[in-house]
Amino acid sequence: MKFFISKNQFFLGLFIVQTGSVFISFQTPLIEAASQDAWIVFIACCVLQFIQLYLYEKYHLYFKVNRFLQGLYSTYWLLLVVTFLAYIQKSLSVWAFPLTPPSVIIGAVVLISFYANISRPESTVNLGVLLLPLFPLIFIFLSLGTPDLVWTNLFPMGNITLQEWGTGLKEAKFAFIGTELYLFYRAFILKSEKINVKSLIKFMVTISAFYFITIVFILMFFSLEELKIVPEPLVYILKSQEVTFIERLDLFFIFIWMAWSIITVVYLIFTISMFMKKAITKTMTIKKVILHVLLFVLPLLIIAQEWFRITRDLLIYGHFLFSMIIPFFVIVSNRWRGKNAEKA
């Protein structure tokens, strides 16, 4: 599959995938792990994430995966999408559509994904542009809860143990799930556009600030005891605000988040489809149909068996495996082979 994207499209797609899948779900586990120091742990995680992206950019030319690794990555992304679809349905059943059967919600998302993935690649890649006007609205609405913030909830600070640092960093890293897509889409960027350290800093500052604001806001709005009984604190903050022009801000946000989530699903399935097209071109449509049937059935299985915790843990450890361990060995191996070839 041959297509080209600009640097802005590249970073926008990466931003949407990393935020769309976990934007309202990663804060609570992080705060449970690191308490009031969650924001400090997150800043440390952002520094590590920047180093990871810098190494990606420096050695991306050595990242070349074979058919076996392509299959492994596709399986991992499929697990990510399936888990995310199950979580979408769970959240919507609580906040927006309590009486709607899960099959209807998941079926609608899967149909949209199928339609987008049989369209032209350029059309799929440009879907993220639709979300740009909506992102500022989230923080405008969130700012309405500023009078209810208690800044003393951030104290005491600095009491975190070494074990809590480790657990906190693991939960904070979940906010950047999908980082490995950098290595796969880097090859599609127009050769006339260069990515330098400044570009990486801009991207990291943007996505870090996006998450950081929500963490601090939740810490100041709720006590640690209250967070134990609030499922999605970010949505609850919006629900508690009363404005004259919108009856329920949380519903408005849920619809934005749903569009955001659908585009995330489309991007991930599009990435899996790229490997499928390389493998067999003639049966591409049939394979996409089978893929989307799995997307419909597997989330319903997770919901029925309540495997949310299990699949989330698999994704966390899978993230370390597919975004750090495998790229490290692939890059080192290919670089070593390249040097030996030059000597020969």
Side-chain angles (χ1 to χ4, degrees), residues 20 26 30 47 56 94 98 107 122 132 137 151 156 181 214 218 273:
F26 93 98
L30 171 58
V47 174
Y56 274 5
V94 173
E122 292 79 4
L132 286 178
L137 290 177
W151 64 272
L181 291 176
T214 64
I218 290 171
S273 299

Side-chain angles (χ1 to χ4, degrees), residues 220-251:
M220 291 195 292
F221 195 91
F222 298 99
S223 67
L224 295 180
E225 292 300 319
E226 288 174 328
L227 280 174
K228 294 179 180 179
I229 58 174
V230 179
E232 280 91 16
L234 201 62
V235 183
Y236 187 87
I237 292 174
L238 295 173
K239 188 178 187 300
S240 64
Q241 306 308 311
E242 295 183 1
V243 292
T244 56
F245 53 92
I246 297 178
E247 186 175 350
R248 285 185 58 184
L249 280 178
D250 59 311
L251 281 181

Side-chain angles (χ1 to χ4, degrees), residues 31 50 52 76 93 119 122 139-140 146 151 154 157 168 170 172 205 254 277 299 310 312 317 320-321 327 341:
I31 294 172
F50 171 76
Q52 183 177 349
Y76 168 66
S93 66
S119 304
E122 292 79 4
F139 294 99
I140 291 174
T146 302
W151 64 272
L154 297 175
M157 293 189 297
K170 183 191 75 171
V205 168
I254 283 293
K277 192 160 188 178
I310 297 174
R312 188 181 185 278
Y317 294 109
F320 285 102
L321 175 65

Side-chain angles (χ1 to χ4, degrees), residues 309-329:
R309 187 67 190 180
I310 297 174
T311 53
R312 188 181 185 278
D313 288 341
L314 286 174
L315 288 179
I316 290 179
Y317 294 109
H319 173 60
F320 285 102
L321 175 65
F322 288 99
S323 72
M324 300 177 69
I325 298 175
I326 291 179
F328 172 79
F329 283 106

